[in-house]
Amino acid sequence: MYNYDVQTIKKHNMDVSNLQQNYPTLFSYLKEKGYSRGYISEILTGIRQVLSGANSPNIKSYEGYFEFIHAKFFSKATLHHKYKIIGKIKQFDLYGILPKCNRRSGFLKLDKYSNLSPEYKRVIDDFVISVKLRGVSDSYVCSTKGAAVRFFYYQQSFHYNTLSDITEDSTLNYFNKDGKIVRGYHVMKQIKAVLKENLSSCSDCQRIISYLPALRNRRKVYPFLEKEEFDKLRDFLATEKTGVSQTTPHS
């Protein structure tokens, strides 16, 4: 849990007293709903930055904070992601709204799901209903639904507005551009999961699944030790080093 040392908000500055007092509720909610550590960390970092930014006399609202980060971040992708994170924080702070996968922050103009064809929406909605009955986490539903939305939106950009319109080329081209893989194993797996939930009601889903590329799950291994484990390993290595130096013959 972050321990924020935030100065008293000056009069007329952005009022973040509610956020400062109640952010632990948001933190507990995200943990309870199974959101990833990475996502929770991003939310907490965003909260810390909002609380810090509120001390500036030039920032009097979330809109003012958005202008501040717009000047700070030059990458469109980074800025877009920041808008999403801060938008979630604003909803919680001002309206008490907790994050949900089907609720937009209000700062992203393009709602791809709303612009999908009725058939694509039905496939996605049936997936959401089915997996929620099995009690999966909101974060899984959110990320998997998002992958399907983007895939179907891509198909619509070529006027493929129904499942029967989707071709092998249009499927493979979603993952490859100019001979390079632009979307990997996890995106493929998420799209496949949505289609599999609809196999009993739509024969085209199996056909599209057969078009999905056989991508490998390339896992990166990041060694991580708890403090106690690290201390034990350090002591063990120190002991081993001492033993070796004592038994090594001198030339």
Side-chain angles (χ1 to χ4, degrees):
M1 184 75 67
Y2 285 99
N3 183 18
Y4 298 109
D5 294 321
V6 181
Q7 300 174 2
T8 303
I9 306 301
K10 298 178 181 179
K11 189 175 181 180
H12 304 309
N13 280 21
M14 180 178 175
D15 183 3
V16 290
S17 56
N18 178 66
L19 178 64
Q20 187 175 7
Q21 180 178 353
N22 293 306
Y23 79 85
T25 301
L26 176 58
F27 176 76
S28 298
Y29 170 84
L30 294 173
K31 287 186 65 177
E32 178 185 336
K33 292 299 181 180
Y35 284 83
S36 69
R37 287 184 180 182
Y39 183 78
I40 294 174
S41 178
E42 286 183 308
I43 291 289
L44 290 176
T45 297
I47 291 173
R48 175 177 57 80
Q49 292 171 341
V50 168
L51 293 175
S52 177
N55 290 316
S56 171
N58 297 321
I59 300 177
K60 304 182 185 302
S61 64
Y62 276 95
E63 285 68 28
Y65 183 76
F66 291 146
E67 292 181 9
F68 167 74
I69 64 174
H70 188 277
K72 185 175 180 181
F73 294 99
F74 298 98
S75 164
K76 287 185 178 180
T78 301
L79 189 61
H80 180 82
H81 184 66
K82 276 287 182 184
Y83 277 173
K84 289 197 295 184
I85 294 296
I86 303 303
K88 297 293 185 185
I89 295 170
K90 176 185 176 181
Q91 284 193 320
F92 171 74
D93 181 20
L94 300 186
Y95 312 113
I97 298 175
L98 293 165
K100 288 186 178 179
C101 65
N102 60 349
R103 179 179 290 141
R104 297 171 62 237
S105 65
F107 293 96
L108 303 178
K109 295 181 180 180
L110 181 60
D111 184 354
K112 292 181 178 179
Y113 173 81
S114 296
N115 287 286
L116 291 179
S117 69
E119 184 172 1
Y120 290 157
K121 284 183 180 178
R122 178 184 59 76
V123 169
I124 292 172
D125 292 345
D126 287 350
F127 160 79
V128 172
I129 293 171
S130 179
V131 296
K132 280 193 171 183
L133 289 174
R134 298 203 298 271
V136 301
S137 68
D138 286 351
S139 59
Y140 170 80
V141 176
C142 183
S143 61
T144 308
K145 173 184 174 181
V149 168
R150 290 185 289 273
F151 174 72
F152 289 138
Y153 192 83
Y154 173 86
Q155 300 300 324
Q156 278 192 182
S157 69
F158 297 98
H159 305 289
Y160 297 161
N161 298 319
T162 66
L163 293 171
S164 61
D165 292 332
I166 296 177
T167 67
E168 183 174 11
D169 284 344
S170 70
T171 301
L172 293 176
N173 288 340
Y174 184 69
F175 294 88
N176 294 272
K177 183 177 182 181
D178 299 328
K180 295 182 179 180
I181 297 176
V182 293
R183 294 176 179 89
Y185 169 83
H186 292 290
V187 174
M188 180 275 295
K189 185 179 178 181
Q190 289 171 322
I191 294 169
K192 185 177 182 179
V194 173
L195 294 171
K196 285 180 69 174
E197 289 293 333
N198 287 268
L199 287 177
S200 61
S201 59
C202 182
S203 58
D204 281 307
C205 287
Q206 183 60 61
R207 178 179 59 84
I208 299 170
I209 288 175
S210 71
Y211 296 156
L212 294 172
L215 299 172
R216 287 186 176 185
N217 182 15
R218 299 184 180 276
R219 294 172 178 263
K220 291 185 177 180
V221 178
Y222 297 96
F224 177 81
L225 295 175
E226 297 291 345
K227 185 179 184 303
E228 291 182 1
E229 295 173 317
F230 177 79
D231 290 340
K232 289 180 181 180
L233 179 59
R234 182 188 59 192
D235 293 340
F236 173 77
L237 292 175
T239 302
E240 288 292 296
K241 183 177 181 181
T242 302
V244 169
S245 62
Q246 290 176 348
T247 58
T248 301
H250 294 284
S251 56

